[in-house]
Amino acid sequence: MNTKIVYVLVSRENDIYTEQAYVSMFSVKYHMPDAHITLIIDSITKESLSKRRVDILQYVDELITVPITGKYTPMQISRVLKTTVRFHVLGDFLFLDSDIIVTDTLYEIDSFQFNIGAVLDLHVDLFQNYLLKDVVIHRLHKYFGYNKDVNQYFNSGVLYVKECEEANQFYNLWHEKWKEGCSKGLNVDQPALVIANDLMSSLIAELDGIYNCQIRYTIRYLYDAKIIHYFTARIEDFSPLFTLNFYMTIKNKGNISFEDTQLIINCKRSFSVMSMVNTGIAAEISDVSNSRFINSAVFIRKKSKTAYLLLVLFVRAYKKLIQILFR
């Protein structure tokens, strides 16, 4: 396999990012023993890997430690590294987030002809039932003053990138736009990715969903999926493999056991019997649960229980008014 597999890892003693990357790398090497894995880290992560987390390094063919200048949180450091990967790695590469399981060989990506490829976030266009549409549009307007209609909103968890001048320009724009958003309080990288793609005349080619099957949101691509993305921030109980406990156990043991390997290898068969498909009314509920209103309600509840109770009373009164008006 000529295309490198690249990970960015920023991990501290109290998290499970190292263990997630460890599992993901195992899945890559299981299916493609000849795959070249590059791991990009910061100096603090390097120190943690020299202790009881050293086992992950058995799957790393190239370790790159990048000095970080400036005052950043660990989350921000991960985005600094992620948006500059092209400048640290030689050759074509496939970037993978750590919360990913590879379920098959990926040798065919060596023949990809486009410069950059990615899968749509949630597998749909922004204006085609995208659950977080309002959030995305709000972020583009608020943090970047970006008022153009965006249709393709890509997920940055899997990126195929060629070594070429266009990709260099793209990553330069992506990093600069991320820094612009970060300076205003936005740490996530996908809004900046969208703007960079627009400024580069839609350089990103849309990859088939099998290369980034976002299992929380759809099962359409699961059967043929070669890469399953389960999302760090949305670890669920629908599979033992996607639970916090699975990675904490590996962290405490310091290695991946035989039982663990069987779960990873048989990832597609690991789902719980009660795995509800999110369609119909359930999809509508999910849409509401991801809305800005619910996010605001959660924020208010964290800040003030009294204010939250007043909000609940207001919503109940408003609901009764609507019921009276539309009888």
Side-chain angles (χ1 to χ4, degrees), residues 10 33 69 80 158-159 177 180 192 199 217 224 228 233 267 274 298 307:
V10 176
T69 57
V80 170
V158 178
L159 290 170
K177 285 299 176 182
E180 179 184 334
L199 294 174
Y217 299 98
D224 296 312
I228 293 179
C267 173
M274 294 298 291
V298 171

Side-chain angles (χ1 to χ4, degrees), residues 104-282:
D104 203 344
T105 62
L106 299 168
Y107 294 114
E108 71 279 5
I109 68 176
D110 282 346
S111 63
F112 284 173
Q113 298 300 307
F114 40 80
N115 292 325
I116 299 180
V119 175
L120 290 175
D121 198 41
L122 313 194
H123 297 281
V124 295
D125 290 332
L126 188 60
F127 291 97
Q128 180 193 342
N129 301 321
Y130 185 82
L131 296 177
L132 305 175
K133 179 182 69 175
D134 291 343
V135 174
V136 172
I137 293 174
H138 172 71
R139 285 173 171 173
L140 291 174
H141 290 181
K142 178 179 179 180
Y143 297 100
F144 303 99
Y146 195 80
N147 298 310
K148 293 178 64 176
D149 287 338
V150 176
N151 195 32
Q152 289 185 309
Y153 187 69
F154 289 101
N155 185 276
S156 63
V158 178
L159 290 170
Y160 170 80
V161 184
K162 278 195 180 300
E163 184 173 40
C164 62
E165 182 55 33
E166 289 82 358
N168 290 341
Q169 293 175 18
F170 182 92
Y171 267 78
N172 185 57
L173 281 170
W174 187 17
H175 182 59
E176 290 303 316
K177 285 299 176 182
W178 175 80
K179 286 197 300 182
E180 179 184 334
C182 182
S183 68
K184 300 173 184 176
L186 183 67
N187 294 324
V188 294
D189 58 83
Q190 283 183 186
L193 183 79
V194 168
I195 296 175
N197 188 46
D198 181 60
L199 294 174
M200 291 290 293
S201 302
S202 299
L203 182 65
I204 300 177
E206 184 181 343
L207 289 178
D208 191 298
I210 66 172
Y211 292 108
N212 186 353
C213 176
Q214 298 154 59
I215 189 61
R216 174 176 167 80
Y217 299 98
T218 182
I219 60 173
R220 174 179 289 186
Y221 303 97
L222 179 60
Y223 181 80
D224 296 312
K226 292 198 167 195
I227 298 174
I228 293 179
H229 193 173
Y230 57 88
F231 296 104
T232 297
R234 296 287 191 175
I235 293 178
E236 302 285 356
D237 291 334
F238 59 74
S239 165
L241 187 60
F242 303 155
T243 61
L244 175 64
N245 183 62
F246 179 79
Y247 296 95
M248 284 302 299
T249 300
I250 291 175
K251 182 176 183 177
N252 293 332
K253 291 184 301 187
N255 58 67
I256 297 174
S257 68
F258 175 78
E259 291 77 14
D260 297 332
T261 66
Q262 296 308 299
L263 266 176
I264 299 166
I265 294 166
N266 298 295
C267 173
K268 294 181 182 180
R269 301 178 182 176
S270 68
F271 299 100
S272 304
V273 174
M274 294 298 291
S275 302
M276 186 175 293
V277 178
N278 193 21
T279 59
I281 187 64

Side-chain angles (χ1 to χ4, degrees), residues 57-99:
L57 296 179
Q58 67 183 292
Y59 299 124
V60 178
D61 300 288
E62 180 183 19
L63 183 65
I64 299 174
T65 305
V66 177
I68 301 296
T69 57
K71 191 173 182 180
Y72 291 109
T73 66
M75 178 184 180
Q76 291 169 339
I77 292 173
S78 72
R79 268 52 180 194
V80 170
L81 298 180
K82 185 174 183 178
T83 59
T84 58
V85 169
R86 179 67 279 174
F87 306 117
H88 305 304
V89 179
L90 296 176
D92 302 345
F93 65 80
L94 183 72
F95 170 82
L96 300 178
D97 272 347
S98 59
D99 52 350

